[in-house]
Amino acid sequence: VILAEADTGTVIFEKNADERREAASITKLMTALLVFEALEDNDIALTDQVTVSQRAAAMEGSQALLDADTVYSLEDLLRTMIMASANDSAVALAEYLSGTEENFVQRMNQRAEALGMRDTCYVNCTGYPQEGQYTTARDVMTLSCEVSRHPAYYTYASVWVDTLVHPSGRTTDLTNTNRLVRFYEGADGVKTGSTQEAGFCVSASAKRGELRFVAVVLGAASSKERFSIATSMLDYGFDHYAYKTLDPG
């Protein structure tokens, strides 16, 4: 676990923060970061139309139930990946940005290295269990703080329930995988993840006033435990810390 102030990355509390572990769908934070950076650089746009490949549509695990060989807006893919942790949407985005998921994963690892995430290795863009993929609570914190530099991320991550209308007209109901956005004051992200291999994980972000904290929990025994630990850390941050303007005199 690790607790940090998001703007500066100042660590307030940590335990085994450099232990390499799988983090499941928290991996999608890097996928999202690369999408937001491409949007910022005007390489892509939210209105872009993306054709979902057969491979993307066949992804196992959490899904938006995308139709193969069908065109979706990039924004729909982005919001379903962030909010509902959709693996099919993540792969569709990766293929759109880099041609193949494998090419995109190379970019993920390059960006991780540039951010100083020395104990992270990505093998896919979703976090679905695959040998050789790992990260640490500290690296997830670093990544979460970088994602927080893109406020638009939270416009999707903070939504509790939503609906995806497919081009065919059918709908998929979406529920946020992060229950803190509904039950914790100021919570608006960042990402959850859970697999048998990774346990239950969360990078939880909450903002009150100008102060934002990120609490990362990897490998909890249950979903309830990950949220309970994250809540305790966030409470500690807000109860004991505040921004102060120092008198330069």
Side-chain angles (χ1 to χ4, degrees):
V1 300
I2 192 167
L3 172 69
E5 190 275 321
D7 285 347
T8 62
T10 301
V11 175
I12 295 168
F13 173 80
E14 61 177 275
K15 182 178 180 181
N16 300 328
D18 296 310
E19 181 180 311
R20 290 182 176 182
R21 308 184 66 100
E22 290 191 45
S25 287
I26 286 180
T27 297
K28 295 187 183 80
L29 277 178
M30 181 59 82
T31 303
L33 176 63
L34 292 179
V35 172
F36 277 104
E37 290 179 341
L39 286 167
E40 194 172 80
D41 292 339
N42 294 316
D43 294 333
I44 57 175
L46 291 173
T47 54
D48 285 359
Q49 300 297 295
V50 180
T51 300
V52 175
S53 70
Q54 294 275 354
R55 182 175 182 274
M59 285 295 113
E60 297 180 347
S62 302
Q63 291 184 333
L65 302 176
L66 302 177
D67 293 319
D69 302 320
T70 301
V71 177
Y72 291 80
S73 73
L74 188 142
E75 184 174 27
D76 274 347
L77 298 177
L78 183 60
R79 70 184 179 91
T80 53
M81 178 186 71
I82 293 171
M83 180 194 166
S85 201
N87 291 337
D88 45 1
S89 297
V91 173
L93 287 167
E95 292 176 343
Y96 184 67
L97 263 69
S98 298
T100 66
E101 183 182 10
E102 291 74 19
N103 290 342
F104 188 79
V105 169
Q106 288 185 350
R107 292 178 58 185
M108 293 172 69
N109 285 311
Q110 290 167 358
R111 191 69 181 96
E113 183 178 359
L115 288 171
M117 298 166 60
R118 291 182 291 273
D119 291 300
T120 294
C121 180
Y122 295 115
V123 180
N124 59 51
C125 71
T126 61
Y128 197 76
Q130 192 169 343
E131 187 176 352
Q133 187 152 262
Y134 57 83
T135 189
T136 65
R138 190 183 310 280
D139 282 358
V140 170
M141 180 273 292
T142 297
L143 175 58
S144 299
C145 290
E146 188 65 25
V147 167
S148 75
R149 300 179 188 278
H150 301 271
Y153 181 89
Y154 294 106
T155 64
Y156 305 110
S158 62
V159 177
W160 177 239
V161 292
D162 205 351
T163 301
L164 171 65
V165 180
H166 298 266
S168 65
R170 71 181 178 87
T171 60
T172 298
D173 292 330
L174 308 170
T175 302
N176 201 317
T177 55
N178 182 4
R179 69 189 305 272
L180 294 181
V181 303
R182 184 179 184 189
F183 297 108
Y184 188 85
E185 180 188 350
D188 53 7
V190 184
K191 191 73 189 70
T192 63
S194 62
T195 62
Q196 185 173 349
E197 293 80 2
F200 292 86
C201 309
V202 64
S203 177
S205 170
K207 184 177 183 181
R208 297 178 186 174
E210 295 302 311
L211 193 58
R212 179 185 294 281
F213 290 104
V214 172
V216 180
V217 181
L218 301 184
S222 67
S223 181
K224 182 178 179 179
E225 183 181 70
R226 67 176 165 183
F227 292 130
S228 176
I229 295 171
T231 294
S232 295
M233 288 198 289
L234 291 171
D235 282 346
Y236 182 85
F238 288 117
D239 288 345
H240 292 86
Y241 292 85
Y243 276 132
K244 295 292 185 183
T245 302
L246 301 180
D247 185 348

